[in-house]
Amino acid sequence: MSDQTIVAVDAMGGDHAPHEIVKGCVEAAQQFNIKVILVGDENQINNELSHYSYDQSRISIIHASEIITMEESPVTAIRKKKDSSMVVGLNLLKQKEADAFISAGSTGALLAGGTFLVGRIKGVERPALAPLIPNKKGFSLLIDCGANMDSKPSYLAQFAQMGSIYMENIMGIASPKVGLVNVGAEKEKGNQLTKEAYPLLEALDLNFIGNIEARDIPYGKADVVVCDAFVGNIILKYTEGFGLSLFDIIKEELLRSTSSKIGALLSKSAFKRVKNRFDYTEYGGAPMLGLQGLVVKAHGSSNAKAIASAIRQAVKFKEQKIVEQIEQKINQ
Amino acid sequence: MSDQTIVAVDAMGGDHAPHEIVKGCVEAAQQFNIKVILVGDENQINNELSHYSYDQSRISIIHASEIITMEESPVTAIRKKKDSSMVVGLNLLKQKEADAFISAGSTGALLAGGTFLVGRIKGVERPALAPLIPNKKGFSLLIDCGANMDSKPSYLAQFAQMGSIYMENIMGIASPKVGLVNVGAEKEKGNQLTKEAYPLLEALDLNFIGNIEARDIPYGKADVVVCDAFVGNIILKYTEGFGLSLFDIIKEELLRSTSSKIGALLSKSAFKRVKNRFDYTEYGGAPMLGLQGLVVKAHGSSNAKAIASAIRQAVKFKEQKIVEQIEQKINQ
């Protein structure tokens, strides 16, 4: 492949597909030296594209007649819907016709498809899904939140390596601090998995800061937060639920008196800034690491800006040769 | 033992010991028909008691010369410090000289001591620590947050039974909703542990609502939130860290402009009400369930009110015959 990054995008995935997806691709094609392949229903995509003027050499369409929905069983959907935008897109990655595939569709299907259709990097035991989660200072990479529910210690060691490479090269954090999620700071703490993973992580060429407790995560104590996918899923979804419910509670209480209603009005811009600090649209989506190429899970409610950010992320991923770096690190 | 509840209290445990502990005991002895045994340094306790007038038949002291600190290894401390307030107090429970033991000291030591010194209820495989965590509607019981890091499916089934009995009888929730913490709602989802635990929970005489995702917890979808201690610990500490960091972020942003500073002043009482909804002092402490008697882990920063609430909790525990109920349920 050339130096130009080729990004395949699932035009049919997400709450605002295809409108916001296509819009984001057009915006990104103006900003970056890329080729975008929009995968999905040709008529719908052409209809969306007709609203914009753009460099036609940079955006092409590959038709896919099916869509995988959120309700379908991921594995079955990937197996049966061979002409879905997701399967067609992932196959482009597999056949090296694209460097990255971005989808705001079903997470489960993307994980299954990424694992079954796209090849793993040599030496990688399991690919991992690694979303960025907000903390007081910025964002941490939470790895793994993927499909692999029962992890081995060696998987966690590889997650730490892949996450560290990502945070250093894509997020620009020098010598990222790697923490192992555990129930206490001491080396001997934890369940069987974390107890066995600790010495493996310690032996790696990483900035391993040891165990971190869950209370440390929101303070940004670690840049790379390592855990198995079950725990990662709990942390990810708890962050979402707890944040939303706390804002609900604050709203409820603010609406209870006239003075606090006025207070809330006066504080509106401050609360907006708080929300902005959690804005996922800035940084693209969750990378699936360990595959031959980049698979990005964009947020289900992605708008054009989020899709453009995900494309920027893919460009950087190619430029920084993350696949090659992971392969080298894992096999050294 | 008589109908009067006998509560042993660790006078030396917690950030505000012995002052707030003794004060809480005096207050509780005025409110309830109980006997309180204060365990710890006799001189210090007598000095504290000298500030109050109280019914001397209700409060007694058992001297203990040692204190287990937060820094000590829990298991070693329990084994070596035989005359510590914690070990002496737990032995009172073991010898049936008290119905309950309350401590705001080291959680690890209390868990180890509870497990090794106090006998288990017949049929109970593992005792569990079950704190109440705040949700939008009130509180849920999170079980297990104990010392047992690698759980078996059968433990989770017993946690569900014990937690359900506690929420029904102590917190007054009719037919408590029991949820299994998992990565998806469907029965087939999860890691090996949750997949095997699901049918066991389903077969029990409980209001089992199936799997719940972490995002559902803050909304109070389940009254009894069942998980292994590793996951429970993550949820518990993440709640603490995330809540505090979010309040920090809100404060930071509110202080950034004059209008939002005024807004914050006007909203002060609303924020106070938000904080009150998370007030742990109201409901006592975290019960350790499955033992012959009640062990309560009170919050490290417990004040007199929290200690008095924990004593009220112990009275109810005895009145409602929770030990007998658990024994019957587990062995039926």
Side-chain angles (χ1 to χ4, degrees):
Chain A
M1 281 184 280
S2 73
D3 279 351
Q4 201 179 30
T5 309
I6 304 170
V7 186
V9 179
D10 179 355
M12 314 313 282
D15 305 341
H16 308 300
H19 179 70
E20 291 286 328
I21 312 289
V22 172
K23 193 178 165 201
C25 290
V26 171
E27 283 171 16
Q30 282 160 353
Q31 291 171 47
F32 312 113
N33 177 27
I34 50 169
K35 278 193 175 164
V36 175
I37 305 170
L38 281 159
V39 187
D41 184 274
E42 200 167 9
N43 284 335
Q44 286 188 54
I45 297 171
N46 269 323
N47 185 34
E48 292 294 334
L49 280 173
S50 69
H51 304 139
Y52 310 102
S53 68
Y54 59 93
D55 180 347
Q56 302 219 347
S57 73
R58 289 207 171 163
I59 299 185
S60 61
I61 302 172
I62 291 187
H63 180 67
S65 63
E66 295 173 297
I67 297 174
I68 292 177
T69 65
M70 305 303 278
E71 291 71 36
E72 289 174 270
S73 150
V75 178
T76 315
I78 288 293
R79 210 181 298 140
K80 293 207 169 154
K81 289 192 165 171
K82 298 216 189 297
D83 200 37
S84 61
S85 54
M86 204 181 269
V87 170
V88 171
L90 288 166
N91 278 327
L92 291 173
L93 203 56
K94 182 188 179 181
Q95 291 142 10
K96 309 253 180 220
E97 287 168 30
D99 300 296
F101 176 63
I102 297 166
S103 176
S106 155
T107 307
L110 194 64
L111 285 172
T115 307
F116 299 139
L117 301 177
V118 183
R120 262 180 279 160
I121 294 171
K122 190 190 141 218
V124 169
E125 295 184 74
R126 289 290 183 281
L129 186 71
L132 288 164
I133 55 166
N135 63 49
K136 238 195 120 202
K137 301 179 201 162
F139 289 92
S140 309
L141 192 80
L142 181 65
I143 184 164
D144 178 30
C145 293
N148 227 317
M149 285 303 140
D150 291 285
S151 238
K152 291 184 184 170
S154 57
Y155 301 174
L156 296 193
Q158 292 195 341
F159 297 161
Q161 292 177 299
M162 297 194 292
S164 188
I165 290 170
Y166 189 88
M167 285 306 269
E168 182 147 9
N169 293 277
I170 305 294
M171 300 299 285
I173 292 169
S175 189
K177 293 190 287 288
V178 177
L180 177 64
V181 179
N182 210 334
V183 299
E186 305 83 354
K187 191 174 174 175
E188 317 75 45
K189 286 270 172 132
N191 55 15
Q192 211 189 326
L193 176 66
T194 56
K195 278 188 218 167
E196 289 177 21
Y198 193 105
L200 300 184
L201 282 159
E202 216 177 13
L204 292 170
D205 177 25
L206 284 176
N207 183 9
F208 179 51
I209 60 166
N211 289 327
I212 56 169
E213 292 192 76
R215 80 181 80 190
D216 302 324
I217 300 172
Y219 285 94
K221 194 171 175 184
D223 303 304
V224 180
V225 174
V226 178
C227 56
D228 69 66
F230 190 90
V231 169
N233 192 291
I234 301 292
I235 292 171
L236 186 68
K237 290 190 180 154
Y238 200 55
T239 303
E240 184 192 324
F242 193 70
L244 289 173
S245 88
L246 194 56
F247 275 114
D248 279 0
I249 290 175
I250 291 172
K251 208 171 165 185
E252 244 177 67
E253 295 297 349
L254 283 172
L255 292 176
R256 241 179 223 180
S257 81
T258 312
S259 77
S260 63
K261 270 185 203 166
I262 299 167
L265 269 175
L266 289 169
S267 317
K268 215 169 177 180
S269 64
F271 279 106
K272 209 168 177 183
R273 286 195 300 272
V274 173
K275 281 206 167 171
N276 281 347
R277 285 169 68 163
F278 294 90
D279 185 8
Y280 67 90
T281 61
E282 292 286 349
Y283 61 79
M288 193 170 169
L289 299 174
L291 300 175
Q292 292 286 358
L294 175 65
V295 171
V296 176
K297 170 62 184 96
H299 201 285
S301 57
S302 288
N303 56 16
K305 186 181 165 198
I307 296 299
S309 298
I311 292 174
R312 186 185 60 221
Q313 180 185 8
V315 172
K316 228 170 176 179
F317 196 89
K318 167 111 191 257
E319 280 173 3
Q320 299 290 325
K321 301 186 191 307
I322 303 296
V323 168
E324 293 79 357
Q325 285 199 52
I326 290 175
E327 179 160 359
Q328 202 201 335
K329 193 97 175 173
I330 294 280
N331 296 294
Q332 82 190 359
Chain B
M1 278 183 282
S2 74
D3 279 351
Q4 201 179 30
T5 308
I6 304 171
V7 187
V9 179
D10 179 355
M12 314 314 282
D15 306 339
H16 308 301
H19 178 70
E20 291 287 328
I21 313 290
V22 172
K23 193 177 167 204
C25 290
V26 171
E27 283 172 18
Q30 282 160 354
Q31 292 171 47
F32 312 113
N33 177 27
I34 50 169
K35 279 195 173 158
V36 175
I37 304 171
L38 280 159
V39 187
D41 184 275
E42 200 168 10
N43 284 336
Q44 286 187 55
I45 297 171
N46 269 324
N47 184 33
E48 291 294 333
L49 281 174
S50 68
H51 306 138
Y52 310 102
S53 68
Y54 59 93
D55 180 347
Q56 303 218 348
S57 73
R58 288 207 172 162
I59 298 185
S60 60
I61 302 173
I62 290 188
H63 180 68
S65 63
E66 295 173 295
I67 298 175
I68 292 178
T69 66
M70 306 302 277
E71 292 71 35
E72 289 174 271
S73 152
V75 178
T76 314
I78 288 294
R79 210 181 299 138
K80 294 208 168 155
K81 289 192 165 170
K82 297 216 189 299
D83 200 37
S84 61
S85 54
M86 204 181 268
V87 170
V88 172
L90 287 166
N91 277 328
L92 290 173
L93 203 55
K94 182 187 179 182
Q95 290 142 12
K96 309 250 179 229
E97 287 167 30
D99 301 295
F101 176 63
I102 297 166
S103 175
S106 155
T107 307
L110 193 65
L111 286 171
T115 307
F116 298 138
L117 301 177
V118 184
R120 262 179 279 159
I121 295 171
K122 191 189 140 217
V124 168
E125 296 184 73
R126 290 289 182 283
L129 185 71
L132 288 164
I133 55 167
N135 64 48
K136 238 194 121 203
K137 301 178 200 161
F139 289 92
S140 308
L141 192 79
L142 181 64
I143 186 167
D144 177 28
C145 293
N148 225 319
M149 286 301 140
D150 291 285
S151 237
K152 292 182 183 170
S154 58
Y155 301 174
L156 296 192
Q158 291 195 343
F159 297 161
Q161 291 176 302
M162 297 194 292
S164 188
I165 289 170
Y166 188 88
M167 285 306 270
E168 183 147 9
N169 293 277
I170 305 294
M171 300 297 286
I173 293 169
S175 189
K177 294 191 287 287
V178 177
L180 177 63
V181 179
N182 210 332
V183 299
E186 304 84 355
K187 190 175 172 172
E188 318 74 45
K189 286 270 172 131
N191 55 14
Q192 212 189 327
L193 176 66
T194 56
K195 279 188 218 167
E196 289 176 23
Y198 192 105
L200 300 184
L201 282 158
E202 217 178 12
L204 292 171
D205 177 24
L206 284 175
N207 184 8
F208 179 51
I209 60 166
N211 290 326
I212 57 167
E213 293 192 74
R215 79 181 84 190
D216 302 323
I217 299 172
Y219 286 93
K221 196 172 175 184
D223 303 304
V224 181
V225 174
V226 177
C227 56
D228 68 64
F230 190 90
V231 169
N233 192 291
I234 301 292
I235 292 171
L236 186 67
K237 291 193 181 153
Y238 200 56
T239 304
E240 184 192 325
F242 193 69
L244 288 175
S245 88
L246 195 55
F247 276 114
D248 278 359
I249 290 175
I250 291 171
K251 207 172 165 186
E252 243 177 67
E253 295 296 348
L254 284 172
L255 292 177
R256 239 178 226 182
S257 82
T258 311
S259 77
S260 63
K261 270 185 202 165
I262 298 166
L265 269 174
L266 291 168
S267 315
K268 215 168 177 180
S269 64
F271 279 106
K272 208 167 180 184
R273 287 196 299 272
V274 173
K275 281 208 166 169
N276 282 346
R277 285 168 70 163
F278 294 90
D279 186 9
Y280 68 91
T281 60
E282 292 285 349
Y283 60 78
M288 194 171 170
L289 299 174
L291 300 175
Q292 292 287 358
L294 175 64
V295 171
V296 176
K297 169 63 185 95
H299 201 286
S301 56
S302 287
N303 55 17
K305 187 181 166 198
I307 296 299
S309 297
I311 292 174
R312 186 185 61 220
Q313 180 185 7
V315 172
K316 229 171 174 178
F317 197 89
K318 167 110 191 260
E319 281 174 3
Q320 299 290 324
K321 300 187 193 306
I322 303 297
V323 168
E324 293 79 355
Q325 284 199 53
I326 290 176
E327 179 160 359
Q328 202 199 339
K329 193 96 176 175
I330 294 281
N331 297 294
Q332 82 189 359

